[in-house]
Amino acid sequence: MKILTISTRPFSDQRPGTSGLRKKVRIFRTPHYLENFVQSIFDTRTDLSGGTLVLGGDGRYYNRQAIQTIICMAAANGVARVIVGQSGLLSTPAASCVIRKYHTNGGIILSASHNPGGPDGDFGIKFNTANGGPAPEGVTGAIYARTREISQYRTLAADEIDLDTIGTQSLGETRVEIIDAVADYAALMEELFDFERIRQLFGSGQFSMRFDAMHAITGPYAKLILETMLGAEPGTVINGDPSEDFGGGHPDPNLVHAHELVALASGPDAVDFAAASDGDGDRNMILGRNFFVTPSDSLAVMAANARHIKGYAGGLSGVARSMPTSQAVDRVAEALGLDCYETPTGWKFFGNLLDAGRITLCGEESFGSGSDHVREKDGLWAVLFWLNLLAVRNRSVQEIVQEHWRKFGRNFYTRHDYEGIDAEAASDLMAHLETLLADLPGTTLDGHTVGYADNFAYTDPVDGSVSENQGIRIGFTDGSRIVYRLSGTGTEGATLRVYLEACETDPGKQDRETAGVMQPLVGIATRMAEIESRTGRREPTVIT
Ligand code: G1P
Ligand code: ZN
């Protein structure tokens, strides 16, 4: 097998964002673009030479081609063993599971998560370390630095690998193992949850569910686990066949994009439980009959009920949430005497806390939750957690959540996204907010007194690393909050996210509509940031 050394020049735009390098497919197809980034991984992660690499993606357009390219480069860079999900597929949490289970040196995951796919859509690549988690900033920084100076990459002149047949092939000295993409993950779920109880729930004839795989990666996982292993009726999984462009849709499980599912969970014939996952299977949305569970509440409910679930019955070591996520879980932690950490946005910040055994559960407002079972957020895991809970508590989703509010208080929550705004206007807006911070504490805005105002910085309690500039926080003395940050995952212009939260401990006021409750805070937030005059937008693009 002939190793080829190809000359190349650096691209200036390969800095990984919140979750790896994400760009339009056409950019990834620029000659040498993908190869430069991959070689930069091999150049900086030197233990991959002679080691084991896991490889898989969410199946979007360009996935198969990129997998072939990376396998050849892995072989040319001396990787001893490449473990690849069948057909080049692995959901992000399944990749994390496989990286950990087989004690590998890490993995490359091809995904642009919930961003649309297809020739005009997005593509992405990220490296996960041996703990199964997204590379921390030190690692992504080194990879990025390497992309700025790269002058050559190594690959092989070889025939294509057969990605569809399970088994081992060799490519020069390298063993390429094509594995079942679902089996290891399904086995892990069976360890954590009481499958027998859930089977009884489905078998009772009293319970109906739909899971929307949004034409993305979780289709095969959900069909096997829900329909085959747990006995849910055939057809429980909708949009279950993965397609390269997600059926032309936007595979993001929220009230806007998962509208087909929302319709099935609404009205007099609504199902009892509905859930969806995103392009690469790490996000989740939970719905009851005519009832939406905010991701922040979902995390809090899981923490409060973990003792009912087999895999967590021994207790939680602590919990964590990303900074913009509502403080609902903080209330649970306080009541249960658990440590609670506030981290910057992005799953990579949970990694050290999970590895150090300081937390068991964690989550983000952006439809992500997970635990120490892997080092990624995990969509189907959250769905199974809820199913298990419904099976043991014998209550509806709505009853469980409302009971939770009565006990712990309710954190009303909403997020307003302004997508595709001018990048310069966005950074000016953030700079403007920054100038207001010093004078805000102690002032009263529409009856809310500001307790603190800052640009969030985080010191990792495990390794002491500091991450600054993680978003503007304005906290009021009544517990409500406004948070502003710019997205780190978009591929066009800038996206401003405004996160709003208001606390309510009076049970008589907890069942009001979120939009009405949040209106005053929305007003404060839009005026303070001068959103309309600075971005030209009167309304957000998406409200979740
Ligand atoms: C978004 C979410 C963030 C999540 C990330 C990856 O990042 O806000 O919570 O970890 O996607 O799924 P953002 O675009 O806000 O940087
Ligand atoms: Zn995702």
Side-chain angles (χ1 to χ4, degrees), residues 44-375:
T44 47
R45 308 302 296 170
T46 48
D47 61 340
L48 288 170
S49 176
T52 301
L53 176 76
V54 173
L55 180 61
D58 64 11
R60 64 180 59 227
Y61 184 82
Y62 199 56
N63 191 70
R64 286 183 84 95
Q65 226 173 310
I67 295 268
Q68 296 284 358
T69 301
I70 297 168
I71 293 175
C72 285
M73 290 185 66
N77 279 280
V79 175
R81 181 177 172 216
V82 187
I83 301 178
V84 190
Q86 189 177 19
S87 305
L89 301 178
L90 278 176
S91 78
T92 293
S96 185
C97 162
V98 172
I99 291 170
R100 294 169 67 76
K101 182 167 177 177
Y102 298 106
H103 307 286
T104 68
N105 302 81
I108 293 178
I109 303 177
L110 303 174
S111 162
S113 188
H114 50 285
N115 295 11
D120 300 319
D122 290 350
F123 193 74
I125 175 168
K126 67 174 185 170
F127 179 71
N128 280 30
T129 45
N131 71 346
E137 287 193 326
V139 174
T140 55
I143 294 171
Y144 173 59
R146 184 65 193 155
T147 67
R148 301 306 309 271
E149 56 191 28
I150 190 165
S151 61
Q152 55 184 41
Y153 62 83
R154 290 154 72 81
T155 187
L156 286 186
D159 291 339
E160 291 214 327
I161 288 284
D162 169 8
L163 297 176
D164 299 312
T165 310
I166 290 176
T168 302
Q169 303 163 56
S170 40
L171 196 57
E173 307 280 285
T174 304
R175 259 168 51 215
V176 180
E177 287 174 29
I178 309 294
I179 62 161
D180 182 313
V182 183
D184 293 307
Y185 178 82
L188 178 58
M189 293 303 111
E190 205 168 4
E191 277 170 35
L192 297 174
F193 301 111
D194 189 342
F195 273 31
E196 191 47 46
R197 280 300 270 278
I198 303 175
R199 258 193 295 272
Q200 284 165 14
L201 179 68
F202 280 125
S204 68
Q206 307 290 316
F207 179 78
S208 56
M209 171 187 180
R210 290 291 175 271
F211 176 86
D212 190 350
M214 303 188 87
H215 298 287
I217 189 75
T218 46
Y221 292 83
K223 278 191 202 163
L224 177 81
I225 296 174
L226 297 175
E227 295 183 5
T228 307
M229 298 173 80
L230 293 171
E233 60 172 331
T236 295
V237 178
I238 62 169
N239 301 319
D241 294 319
S243 84
E244 289 199 329
D245 67 348
F246 309 116
H250 192 145
D252 200 359
N254 60 40
L255 294 173
V256 180
H257 296 307
H259 46 82
E260 186 182 348
L261 184 78
V262 173
L264 291 168
S266 312
D269 301 325
V271 292
D272 299 297
F273 180 55
S277 190
D278 72 331
D280 63 331
D282 57 358
R283 294 187 172 200
N284 75 87
M285 176 170 71
I286 301 293
L287 300 171
R289 220 166 205 270
N290 298 303
F291 192 82
F292 167 64
V293 185
T294 71
S296 297
D297 276 349
S298 177
L299 174 64
V301 169
M302 287 197 271
N305 288 280
R307 65 182 188 285
H308 296 296
I309 308 293
K310 179 170 97 176
Y312 306 92
L316 305 178
S317 59
V319 293
R321 62 165 170 85
S322 68
M323 182 272 280
T325 303
S326 99
Q327 300 161 97
V329 74
D330 304 34
R331 295 169 176 276
V332 176
E334 201 183 336
L336 302 185
L338 297 171
D339 286 339
C340 178
Y341 298 86
E342 180 177 42
T343 58
T345 296
W347 207 259
K348 59 186 172 217
F349 293 101
F350 295 130
N352 277 349
L353 297 171
L354 290 163
D355 284 351
R358 292 192 185 217
I359 60 169
T360 310
L361 293 185
C362 47
E364 296 194 273
E365 52 65 42
S366 52
F367 297 84
S369 43
S371 86
D372 58 1
H373 69 291
V374 289
R375 292 294 180 273

